[in-house]
Amino acid sequence: MSTSTLLAIIIAIVVVIAVAVAASMVMRRRKLRERFGPEYERTMGDADSRMAGERELRAREKRHDALDIKPLDSSARDRYTRDWASTQDEFVDRPEDAVHDADRLVTSLMHERGYPTQDFEQQLKDLSVEHGSTLEHYRAAHDVEALSTRHEATTEQLRGAMVHYRALFDELLSDGGGRRHARA
């Protein structure tokens, strides 16, 4: 076999390997984007590089997979639904208290489902794996809850916080942890 033929074969093999690696990276990136939703772009923006951001998201997946996330039984779901209705009713007369109660209710629901609830930043990371589409709601609600602790939130901000808490609450209550995405 001539040197030029051998060189052509080696180049063809390298090109095929490079295309396969690139395709694999594109597919992995697409799966992360689909799984994390808006949280993907937020994490990429916070990371030093795309590789570091994607490594962070894969680490979140690994941590999440080790958690014992479980669905609620129907009696717990009914109890949380009643508690939320009571919290919403409270908003009319005591909006700040209602926002604090909504925060506690969402935290309690996360805890009962199996999410760690000690550290807000870790909560965000753990929730991002299955609830990336509603995570901005939780961040916004939490920010207003912090303002209301200092009595600095307007009634409109408090109302918005209730709407934001409700988005995550509904998702945590209804999905039962069954939205696991297949990964390659």
Side-chain angles (χ1 to χ4, degrees):
M1 190 180 305
S2 72
T3 305
S4 60
T5 304
L6 185 59
L7 187 57
I9 291 171
I10 291 172
I11 290 173
I13 290 172
V14 168
V15 168
V16 168
I17 290 172
V19 168
V21 167
S24 172
M25 289 174 64
V26 167
M27 288 180 61
R28 188 171 45 197
R29 183 168 294 148
R30 184 179 326 125
K31 286 180 181 181
L32 285 172
R33 275 193 173 145
E34 288 171 4
R35 184 163 198 186
F36 285 91
E39 189 64 14
Y40 177 89
E41 293 304 327
R42 181 189 245 308
T43 303
M44 293 306 109
D46 291 344
D48 294 334
S49 68
R50 181 172 299 280
M51 284 180 58
E54 290 179 354
R55 191 172 31 254
E56 162 67 19
L57 294 176
R58 285 190 302 275
R60 289 182 192 184
E61 285 178 322
K62 187 175 180 179
R63 175 181 160 83
H64 182 274
D65 290 347
L67 298 174
D68 184 23
I69 307 300
K70 53 196 168 291
L72 295 174
D73 61 38
S74 61
S75 65
R77 198 174 355 275
D78 292 344
R79 176 175 38 88
Y80 277 106
T81 300
R82 284 190 307 275
D83 289 349
W84 183 264
S86 175
T87 300
Q88 278 188 283
D89 291 344
E90 177 184 27
F91 186 82
V92 174
D93 295 323
R94 297 184 322 277
E96 282 185 343
D97 291 341
V99 167
H100 297 307
D101 289 346
D103 182 69
R104 283 190 291 272
L105 190 58
V106 166
T107 301
S108 174
L109 177 54
M110 286 188 296
H111 180 74
E112 190 162 339
R113 291 281 317 277
Y115 288 98
T117 56
Q118 301 81 0
D119 174 38
F120 180 70
E121 289 304 316
Q122 189 60 54
Q123 284 177 8
L124 292 174
K125 289 177 182 179
D126 292 339
L127 287 168
S128 71
V129 177
E130 293 292 336
H131 305 283
S133 62
T134 55
L135 210 52
E136 276 307 308
H137 289 287
Y138 189 40
R139 279 189 180 96
H142 187 76
D143 289 347
V144 173
E145 198 268 341
L147 282 175
S148 72
T149 299
R150 299 184 307 269
H151 307 291
E152 296 174 358
T154 66
T155 303
E156 186 59 27
Q157 287 173 314
L158 294 168
R159 186 198 65 74
M162 291 296 289
V163 170
H164 290 307
Y165 276 127
R166 180 65 190 248
L168 179 58
F169 178 84
D170 284 347
E171 191 170 295
L172 285 166
L173 191 66
S174 67
D175 81 352
R179 285 188 332 124
R180 299 237 187 248
H181 297 274
R183 288 186 315 195

